[in-house]
Amino acid sequence: MIKKLYDFVYDKQTQLSALILMLVSFVIFLQNEHPAVHQLQGIIAETLSPIKQPVVIFNEMQNARAKNTILSERIIQLSVEAARFNTLQEENDRFKELIKFQNSSRLNLLPALVISKGISQEVNAITINIGEDQGVAINSPVINIDGIVGKIFSVNKTTALAQIVTGPQFRISVKIKPDEATGILQWLGGNQFLIPDIPNTMNISKNNLVVTSGFSDMYPPDIPVGIVTDIEQATDGFTIRVMGDLLVNFNKINELFVLQLDNP
Amino acid sequence: MTKFLKYFSIFILLTVLQYLFIEFFDIRGIHPDLFFILLIYIAFRLPPVHAVWAGFSVGVVQDILFNLVLIGLAPFIKTFFAYILGRIAARQRMINPILLITGMIVMILFNHQLFNWFYYVQVPGTDYSVFLGKTLPETAYTTVIFLMFNYFFPLLDSER
């Protein structure tokens, strides 16, 4: 009996091995949302980051001159914008003082470098070189100078994993300026997004700016997300589908900021 | 044992290459799957059961290094294809060489398509664009590298 079983297992070892290994892989695949798996992901990212960092730093040095020029131009533009916003802020502060609103929190920015993007530019997780020691928390928003990049989903001592917008699971509450129509933005592939179920009474047009709505606890309001490029009528006749391009170039994200929100 | 060590060394080298220098392989977001090419060679050089275990190991490493969000997907797909490749390799002498190489290219296509199908299943209306924009270019890139390797290191037994 045992000999027969042994002979069977020996003869079918390839098939049995394949079956067992595929079963194990599938079970692990189905448990991707388990906290233990997230913890494992964080430990792996933290362990591998010292290996990848020298290459990242070398690449950064190679591209530094060109990026310097671009950043200098952006700084000048942003300085002009900042001066305008300061004036508006002072005016806003006076109005808030007058009607006694509680002041909204200031945003603290933690600069970070991307040290791993995975095998594909569209794999929706990146590893950054700051973690718990630098004040990064789970669900902290991640942005760059162009707009929203994603959010932190796993934090270790000196690294963190961020889920980025270009991923099938990513959703974010947004509003479309200037009418402030709100909806849930999801990724549509490449650098495009989709906002379904916008009432067709809203006045949306091409080149409207899409920003975070502020309704979520995680993302502060008015962080740029994308630009509307197309609007189409939904089949139900009452809503429209808004498509657009994301402002952030996810093929070239290297320098980022993690937002620290003062008020939880 | 020598063969095992040889393929293990190649595997380590490929891992280091892809992990540290992935940006140099990148063409507008498209990367080749060098691990699948290694798996093809392992299936044709080692016994089928070794190929299956190699497929699982390669998949685990691939997930750990490159695909932290969907752990388990690469081992599942690589184990499946390692088994198929092992079965084909066992019958390589009965199959026309050109048909065999074409079959390998078809395997590469299915490998990329299966991975992309699982990955993009939640994104609305993207099956066709993913096939054209991701699967086909990745297949072409991996195929070119596979054919280059095949030219210098022929896949098929020279004593056919």
Side-chain angles (χ1 to χ4, degrees), chain B residues 41-157:
Chain B
Y41 275 86
I42 288 174
F44 275 76
R45 297 283 189 272
L46 297 179
V49 66
H50 292 179
V52 164
W53 281 93
F56 179 77
S57 309
V58 161
V60 167
V61 171
Q62 192 170 356
D63 264 354
I64 286 170
L65 293 182
F66 306 112
N67 193 27
L68 278 178
V69 179
L70 290 176
I71 286 182
L73 179 60
F76 178 77
I77 293 174
K78 290 284 188 296
T79 308
F80 172 72
F81 278 103
Y83 175 71
I84 301 290
L85 288 167
R87 299 281 288 191
I88 293 172
R91 290 162 176 74
Q92 60 175 294
R93 291 178 189 278
M94 294 187 268
I95 304 172
N96 180 282
I98 294 173
L99 203 62
L100 204 58
I101 298 297
T102 310
M104 293 304 105
I105 296 170
V106 170
M107 289 287 119
I108 292 170
L109 172 70
F110 282 140
N111 170 53
H112 285 295
Q113 176 56 24
L114 199 58
F115 185 87
N116 289 333
W117 183 81
F118 270 105
Y119 186 71
Y120 292 101
V121 68
Q122 288 187 45
V123 180
T126 57
D127 289 344
Y128 192 60
S129 58
V130 164
F131 181 74
L132 285 181
K134 244 17 223 127
T135 302
L136 280 185
E138 284 176 347
T139 302
Y141 200 167
T142 308
T143 301
V144 164
I145 295 177
F146 168 64
L147 292 175
M148 277 168 53
F149 269 115
N150 190 48
Y151 181 79
F152 292 106
F153 308 104
L155 179 68
L156 299 175
D157 199 337

Side-chain angles (χ1 to χ4, degrees), chain A residues 89 92 96 101-107 221 262-263:
Chain A
Q89 180 65 43
N92 201 30
K96 279 185 178 176
F101 266 116
Q102 188 171 6
N103 210 3
S104 62
S105 60
R106 298 266 182 261
L107 302 177
D262 289 336
N263 296 335

Side-chain angles (χ1 to χ4, degrees), chain A residues 13-15 17-18 21-22 24-26 28-29 32 37 40-41 44-45 48-49 51-52 55 59 116 118-125 153 161 166-169 171 186-189 194 251, chain B residues 18-24 26 28-29 31-33 48-49 52-53 56 62 64-73 75-76 79-80 83 87 118-124 126 129 134 138:
Chain A
Q13 58 181 305
T14 308
Q15 289 88 330
S17 301
L21 292 174
M22 280 172 62
V24 166
S25 309
F26 198 63
I28 296 170
F29 178 60
N32 259 288
V37 175
L40 178 65
Q41 291 164 342
I44 291 166
L48 293 175
S49 69
I51 303 168
K52 192 75 192 264
V55 178
N59 283 338
S116 176
I119 194 168
S120 164
Q121 298 294 356
E122 292 175 350
V123 170
N124 64 341
F153 73 91
L161 287 171
T166 54
Q169 296 96 357
R171 303 286 187 273
Q186 62 187 102
W187 178 56
L188 193 58
L194 166 70
N251 287 329
Chain B
Q18 275 216 264
Y19 184 63
L20 291 183
F21 304 106
I22 189 74
E23 288 86 10
F24 297 104
D26 175 69
R28 299 180 82 173
H31 302 86
D33 190 351
V49 66
V52 164
W53 281 93
F56 179 77
Q62 192 170 356
I64 286 170
L65 293 182
F66 306 112
N67 193 27
L68 278 178
V69 179
L70 290 176
I71 286 182
L73 179 60
F76 178 77
T79 308
F80 172 72
Y83 175 71
R87 299 281 288 191
F118 270 105
Y119 186 71
Y120 292 101
V121 68
Q122 288 187 45
V123 180
T126 57
S129 58
K134 244 17 223 127
E138 284 176 347

